[in-house]
């Protein structure tokens, strides 16, 4: 039996005065409910790789990430679920206290290998691939053309009347998958949570097959709140407001910034009247455990 629960996913209607003023419908698909620790989008991103690995006869998957990487944990869980062995190459020396993510990854039997920052930087050089030649390698964050193929399964929950799909971007692989599988009347909007990563547009384009002609899509780079995993008091206040008004839990790394961007764009009139806007809640809530107790209302 699978450890994830797709049957818990649902589309939640969001109600805020700005949405009714602008005459737009806004809802969010709660992929976070797939698992308390495994980010929804990561699961879909991995499926193309795991299929490819199986076809090529690999029994062991290796990937890369930091000690707080949602991708590391999702890979551990996905492999566990598919009776594959997993190796996680973790950036930096072994910590004396393992993060939540690393503890959970161990429970899914992932072998953790800590790489110095120098070795991590050179991870794509041959030394690791020679030593771990029995492994199928997936790049950091699941970035790569195979990462976009499984995203189409998310469309199972996307109502067909949706004409804007909004998602947070880290590597942009999930956004690329949404662009790749969108229906003709659907525009895709990305909210970039990394600072100074304007090259994300080229990186996303590099994931498409050359024959592919995308619908209109766009990435907004001004909603990072200081950078990856950075937060401000106003962001925390915003997260509490979303919970108090709509019972929507968000994390401070991805989903709160995505929702802030979506609301700001709505206020600026980006979505035409009668638009049906769907946000993707890709999970990440476990990241909030690093915040002081009592800061959040949820
Ligand atoms: C990893 C992650 C993302 C970003 O996905 P990419 O495909 O790398 O752009 C978004 N939201 C959450 C919660 C994540 O963990």
């Amino acid at each position: 039996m699978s450890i994830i629960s797709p049957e818990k996913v649902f589309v939640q209607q969001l109600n805020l005065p700005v949405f009714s003023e602008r005459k737009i419908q806004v809802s969010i698909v709660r992929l976070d409910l797939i698992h308390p620790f495994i980010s929804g989008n990561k699961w879909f991103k991995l499926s193309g790789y795991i299929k490819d690995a199986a076809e090529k006869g690999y029994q062991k998957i290796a990937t890369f990430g930091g000690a707080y990487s949602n991708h590391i944990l999702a890979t551990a869980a996905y492999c566990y679920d598919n009776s594959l062995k997993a190796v996680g190459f973790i950036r930096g020396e072994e910590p004396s206290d393992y993060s939540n993510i690393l503890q959970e990854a161990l429970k899914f039997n992932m072998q953790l290998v800590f790489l110095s920052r120098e070795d991590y930087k050179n991870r794509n050089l041959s030394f690791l691939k020679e030593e771990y030649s029995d492994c199928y390698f997936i790049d950091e964050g699941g970035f790569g053309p195979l990462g976009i193929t499984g995203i189409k399964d998310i469309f199972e929950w996307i109502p067909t009347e949706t004409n804007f799909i909004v998602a947070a971007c880290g590597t942009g692989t999930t956004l690329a998958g949404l662009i790749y599988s969108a229906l003709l009347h659907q525009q895709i909007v990305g909210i970039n949570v990394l600072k100074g990563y304007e090259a994300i547009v080229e990186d996303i384009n590099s994931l498409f097959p050359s024959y592919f002609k995308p619908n209109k899509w766009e990435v907004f780079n001004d909603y990072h709140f200081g950078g990856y995993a950075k937060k401000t008091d106003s962001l925390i206040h915003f997260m509490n407001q979303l919970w108090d008004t709509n019972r929507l839990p968000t994390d401070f790394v991805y989903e709160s910034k995505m929702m802030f961007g979506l609301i700001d764009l709505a206020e600026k009139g980006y979505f035409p009247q009668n638009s049906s806007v769907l946000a993707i809640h890709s999970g990440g809530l476990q990241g909030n455990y690093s915040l002081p107790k009592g800061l959040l209302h949820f």
Side-chain angles (χ1 to χ4, degrees):
M1 206 186 71
S2 179
I3 50 171
I4 58 157
S5 318
E7 72 282 358
K8 290 192 178 155
V9 172
F10 75 105
V11 173
Q12 177 180 350
Q13 169 96 31
L14 298 177
N15 298 302
L16 287 171
V18 53
F19 299 154
S20 37
E21 280 156 24
R22 291 285 174 185
K23 300 194 170 54
I24 58 174
Q25 298 287 330
V26 180
S27 43
I28 185 163
V29 59
R30 297 285 307 274
L31 293 181
D32 57 304
L33 297 170
I34 271 186
H35 191 275
F37 275 104
I38 299 163
S39 286
N41 69 327
K42 299 294 186 293
W43 199 263
F44 298 96
K45 213 158 40 162
L46 282 167
S47 69
Y49 290 109
I50 306 286
K51 227 182 265 168
D52 188 48
E55 277 165 22
K56 293 180 173 153
Y58 285 93
Q59 315 277 317
K60 206 168 173 183
I61 308 291
T63 196
F64 304 92
Y68 295 92
S69 161
N70 295 334
H71 166 73
I72 284 287
L73 175 55
T75 305
Y78 207 121
C79 289
Y80 181 86
D81 220 18
N82 288 274
S83 308
L84 295 164
K85 293 197 170 112
V87 185
F89 293 104
I90 311 299
R91 183 180 58 236
E93 305 301 330
E94 182 173 4
S96 45
D97 287 322
Y98 278 21
S99 65
N100 256 321
I101 292 279
L102 295 185
Q103 289 177 34
E104 293 294 316
L106 280 180
K107 286 188 203 160
F108 289 120
N109 298 332
M110 180 179 249
Q111 179 194 347
L112 299 178
V113 179
F114 294 88
L115 296 180
S116 69
R117 281 170 197 267
E118 187 63 24
D119 280 351
Y120 192 88
K121 240 190 259 159
N122 296 324
R123 65 186 179 275
N124 287 325
L125 302 180
S126 53
F127 75 101
L128 275 182
K129 293 188 179 157
E130 273 164 27
E131 199 177 326
Y132 291 85
S133 58
D134 57 337
C135 288
Y136 179 90
F137 277 81
I138 302 177
D139 208 351
E140 184 182 64
F143 180 79
L146 282 170
I148 76 175
T149 54
I151 302 292
K152 68 171 179 310
D153 293 339
I154 296 175
F155 281 78
E156 191 182 313
W157 291 285
I158 299 182
T160 39
E161 69 265 25
T162 302
N163 52 352
F164 285 92
I165 300 173
V166 184
C169 307
T171 65
T173 313
T174 303
L175 202 80
L178 293 168
I179 297 166
Y180 188 58
S181 292
L183 303 176
L184 275 174
H185 63 282
Q186 295 173 332
Q187 282 186 40
I188 312 295
V189 178
I191 305 295
N192 191 352
V193 304
L194 295 158
K195 184 178 169 180
Y197 179 33
E198 276 77 17
I200 192 169
V201 171
E202 284 92 76
D203 287 348
I204 288 175
N205 273 318
S206 77
L207 297 177
F208 300 132
S210 54
Y211 60 80
F212 177 65
K213 293 276 176 294
N215 299 347
K216 187 173 175 211
W217 63 277
E218 202 166 357
V219 174
F220 288 89
N221 294 309
D222 296 330
Y223 299 112
H224 55 67
F225 282 83
Y228 183 74
K230 295 277 194 307
K231 55 187 184 297
T232 63
D233 290 347
S234 70
L235 185 69
I236 301 292
H237 176 70
F238 172 74
M239 290 166 73
N240 281 329
Q241 269 184 325
L242 274 182
W243 174 256
D244 295 345
T245 57
N246 281 271
R247 286 292 176 271
L248 180 67
T250 53
D251 72 309
F252 70 92
V253 181
Y254 292 101
E255 301 314 303
S256 54
K257 295 175 185 181
M258 181 277 293
M259 281 305 304
F260 189 93
L262 188 160
I263 293 170
D264 190 56
L265 289 171
E267 277 166 356
K268 291 175 171 155
Y270 179 79
F271 307 107
Q273 263 191 29
N274 301 321
S275 292
S276 177
V277 181
L278 183 81
I280 309 285
H281 194 316
S282 39
L285 294 173
Q286 78 281 345
N288 289 343
Y289 284 122
S290 69
L291 297 174
K293 268 212 172 83
L295 195 59
L296 296 174
H297 299 171
F298 52 95

